[in-house]
């Protein structure tokens, strides 16, 4: 009886293992959709919530990204770093002269992850709205 129990245990372990040499690749991309924006109105910061946004960043594990705003798309590369205790993203675009680039400098955008876990823009540093994105 003892040998049967050992055999059953070994069989259970063997058949529960995945012997597939080529496991399916998981989608490791990150998607961030616009959740809202904040603007200065007569000295007061006003936040506007967005539902069902068509403004999305799709970040791929290889360092490339796609920014979709409605029917329009831009592509480029991003770098992730950490400084001052914040995770930061720098998006560099293939096309540098586009109205879809929301930044104080040409061809790049700077973002960070805020305390609520939102991807947060820095366009407000040059009078643009502060953009907030939630991870999808």
């Amino acid at each position: 009886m003892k040998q049967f129990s050992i055999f059953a245990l070994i069989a259970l372990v063997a058949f529960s293992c995945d012997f597939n040499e080529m496991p399916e690749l998981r989608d490791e991309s990150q998607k961030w959709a616009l959740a809202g924006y904040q603007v200065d109105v007569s000295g007061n910061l006003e936040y506007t919530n967005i539902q069902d946004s068509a403004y999305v960043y799709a970040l791929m594990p290889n360092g490339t990204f796609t920014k979709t705003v409605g029917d329009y798309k831009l592509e480029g590369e991003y770098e992730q770093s950490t400084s001052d205790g914040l995770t930061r993203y720098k998006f560099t675009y293939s096309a540098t002269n586009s109205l879809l680039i929301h930044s104080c400098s040409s061809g790049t955008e700077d973002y960070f992850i805020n305390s609520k876990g939102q991807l947060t823009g820095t366009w407000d540093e040059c009078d643009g709205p502060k953009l907030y994105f939630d991870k999808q």
Side-chain angles (χ1 to χ4, degrees):
M1 183 69 169
K2 186 176 181 181
Q3 289 178 342
F4 177 75
S5 297
I6 293 172
F7 177 77
L9 180 63
I10 292 172
L12 178 67
V13 170
F15 288 111
S16 66
C17 294
D18 182 8
F19 294 105
N20 186 357
E21 291 182 21
M22 298 295 287
E24 282 186 42
L25 296 176
R26 292 184 294 162
D27 181 11
E28 299 285 337
S29 65
Q30 296 180 44
K31 291 190 180 176
W32 297 86
L34 183 65
Y37 62 92
Q38 189 175 36
V39 293
D40 185 353
V41 177
S42 302
N44 295 318
L45 293 176
E46 291 187 10
Y47 181 82
T48 302
N49 194 34
I50 302 291
Q51 299 289 330
D52 299 325
S53 176
Y55 186 166
V56 176
Y57 285 89
L59 284 61
M60 303 303 156
N62 66 357
T64 63
F65 74 95
T66 301
K67 177 181 181 176
T68 306
V69 183
D71 293 333
Y72 301 97
K73 284 188 179 184
L74 285 177
E75 295 179 338
E77 297 180 349
Y78 73 93
E79 293 178 11
Q80 180 180 340
S81 63
T82 303
S83 66
D84 301 327
L86 295 173
T87 300
R88 299 181 182 275
Y89 291 90
K90 183 175 192 89
F91 298 103
T92 304
Y93 290 90
S94 303
T96 59
N97 196 16
S98 173
L99 295 175
L100 298 179
I101 300 174
H102 303 123
S103 176
C104 299
S105 58
S106 177
T108 64
E109 291 177 331
D110 293 308
Y111 281 82
F112 64 94
I113 305 297
N114 69 14
S115 61
K116 295 180 181 179
Q118 294 176 305
L119 185 65
T120 307
T122 59
W123 195 20
D124 61 313
E125 294 174 358
C126 56
D127 298 327
K130 185 175 232 29
L131 304 174
Y132 297 90
F133 294 80
D134 285 336
K135 194 170 188 179
Q136 301 296 296

